[in-house]
Amino acid sequence: MNQVQLATVENWTPHPQASPHFAREGQGYVTEANGTRSCCGGWQFVFSGLEPGRWYEISLEATFADLACVRDALLCTAHWDRMEAGQARTGFRPWDWILPESAGEGRVRFARIVQAPEDASDLTVRCTFRWSTTGLALWSEPKVTLAEDRPASKPVRVAVVTGHANARPRPVESLQTNIDFYGNLCRQACEEVSPDLIALPEIALQWGLPGSSLDLAVPLTSPEVQAFGSIARAFHTRIVLGMYERDGDAVFNSAVLLGPDGKVEGTYHKVHLAVGGEAESGLMPGDGFPVVDTELGRIGFNICMDSSDAESSRMVGLMGADFLVLPIMGDHRADRWRPGPPTFGESRWQAIMRTHAMDNQLCMVVARNTAVASCVIDRKGDILAWNEGDRDYVWCDVSLADGYRTWNGGCFADVNWMQRRPHLYGAFTDEANQGSLRRATR
């Protein structure tokens, strides 16, 4: 691999009053707090002669001392242009975060492999010291190395299989009724559009059957589950099956990922059981948000009531998911806001699902039992597929290498995750916190 040559080095600051103290120390570059809370600035390294469209590895290290919050204070970004020394705003040119990782006591390493835009010839690596009245950082000179080009990723074809709104057999006489219904629809979708990933609705295996979930549940090794594993194997696809799962003395509302070999690749247990019945039914709630690594991308799950707790989709996003599969009967926020039979609100539903996708920078795959409003939404919040209730399934192709950037050149995902300040989010996991319900006790 070839290392790109450094053209110029200079210090930068958005304003003279904000300027940190600068110094050279051996092969390193020092930024030190100036004692004010407005301190902001650092060093920038300009590299020239890049090849547009090629991939580059950018790496450097910083040693630091006396910083209250390292993630806040030390920032490293790659700007695909020559930045002016007094320029804080990025303008409209593409730029990327260089990702930090602890390298031991008092050290942090920044590294990332990124692709140069098609019209790029210069790169400014900017090392910033900010938001600290004390402390200093000693930066190494960045290395910019031509990396092996990455092949273009193949779009993932996703199908949401529900049957149209009036398609389900009534009455549902047995588990086999649902196996036949959803199994035939899965085969049809596979034969017609060859999806890589199929999502089925909540408890698709037992939906409509009378009786308690404790009586209807079956284990993952049961013939009923294997019926869908056989379809996945026959068509070399993945199927997310909603079901009541028996696990010894416990029963869960589960989403089960069946792989192209027909075997279980992952299982999610619904964490937030629906109030007003399910939470008091004897079902056991889940205790985590697993994400499954596959060649299609990373797949995570929520189920129905999980949707109304922002932490559910956030946790899946924090686990690095590309897809969040959501088997769901309905979201109470998208229905009547007073006692009485529910009345579905399409605009609210879309707002909820689009927000999940954008806030967590993942693709929402939503399978609703009644078919209506089943959808696929990309991380920009665009609806790629939508079922009005008149189709047995909807499908679309999802690109994970979408290149989405905000108006100021930043990558959507970069901004979403790297602007976070986790040390301020203690209330997020405070078990005593009841949010706005505190008002009721005053």
Side-chain angles (χ1 to χ4, degrees), residues 6 30 48 90 92 122 127 129 166 201 209 230 236 272 280 295 320 351 364 380 407 416 421 441:
L6 178 64
V30 177
S48 60
T90 55
F92 310 115
D122 297 321
C127 303
F129 182 103
N166 300 310
L209 282 170
S230 297
H236 197 73
H272 302 97
E280 302 83 24
E295 69 271 18
M364 292 291 298
K380 194 169 60 168
W407 64 269
N416 190 76
R421 304 181 66 200
T441 64

Side-chain angles (χ1 to χ4, degrees), residues 42-160:
W43 294 89
Q44 60 183 33
F45 305 82
V46 179
F47 299 82
S48 60
L50 281 77
E51 300 179 48
R54 298 296 302 274
W55 291 82
Y56 290 89
E57 181 175 9
I58 306 170
S59 62
L60 67 151
E61 284 196 4
T63 58
F64 59 86
D66 300 325
L67 300 179
C69 178
V70 178
R71 179 179 170 125
D72 266 2
L74 303 184
L75 171 68
C76 195
T77 49
H79 304 262
W80 300 99
D81 203 353
R82 287 179 178 258
M83 295 287 287
E84 298 294 333
Q87 176 184 353
R89 294 192 177 276
T90 55
F92 310 115
R93 293 285 298 160
W95 59 278
D96 300 285
W97 254 279
I98 305 175
L99 305 182
E101 184 177 78
S102 175
E105 184 69 26
R107 294 169 55 224
V108 59
R109 183 173 188 267
F110 295 85
R112 194 171 188 183
I113 297 176
V114 286
Q115 186 177 26
E118 289 299 332
D119 58 350
S121 59
D122 297 321
L123 167 66
T124 301
V125 177
R126 179 169 277 187
C127 303
T128 301
F129 182 103
R130 59 180 185 173
W131 302 351
S132 183
T133 59
T134 62
L136 58 80
L138 174 65
W139 305 87
S140 69
E141 184 176 291
K143 294 181 179 179
V144 180
T145 305
L146 188 64
E148 183 178 347
D149 286 341
R150 298 182 175 184
S153 61
K154 178 185 175 184
V156 179
R157 182 159 293 183
V158 178
V160 182

Side-chain angles (χ1 to χ4, degrees), residues 410-421:
C411 169
F412 262 43
D414 278 19
V415 174
N416 190 76
W417 297 116
M418 293 308 298
Q419 71 178 353
R420 297 176 65 249
R421 304 181 66 200

Side-chain angles (χ1 to χ4, degrees), residues 389-407:
D390 57 349
R391 301 170 65 183
D392 285 329
Y393 66 90
V394 293
W395 66 276
C396 63
D397 291 333
V398 179
S399 173
L400 299 184
D402 48 48
Y404 292 151
R405 292 182 179 269
T406 58
W407 64 269

Side-chain angles (χ1 to χ4, degrees), residues 202 243 245 251-255 267-275 278-280 283-291 300-316 319 324-327 428:
E202 183 179 12
M243 62 176 288
E245 173 200 349
V251 172
F252 298 94
N253 185 337
S254 300
T267 305
Y268 169 71
H269 297 149
K270 186 176 181 179
V271 169
H272 302 97
L273 298 178
V275 298
E278 186 183 40
E280 302 83 24
L283 280 174
M284 187 73 181
D287 58 7
F289 297 90
V291 169
F301 316 88
N302 283 175
I303 299 175
C304 203
M305 196 71 180
D306 288 327
S307 175
S308 64
D309 287 287
E311 295 88 345
S312 303
S313 58
R314 192 62 164 177
M315 286 299 296
V316 174
M319 296 298 291
L324 193 165
V325 180
L326 174 61
F428 198 81

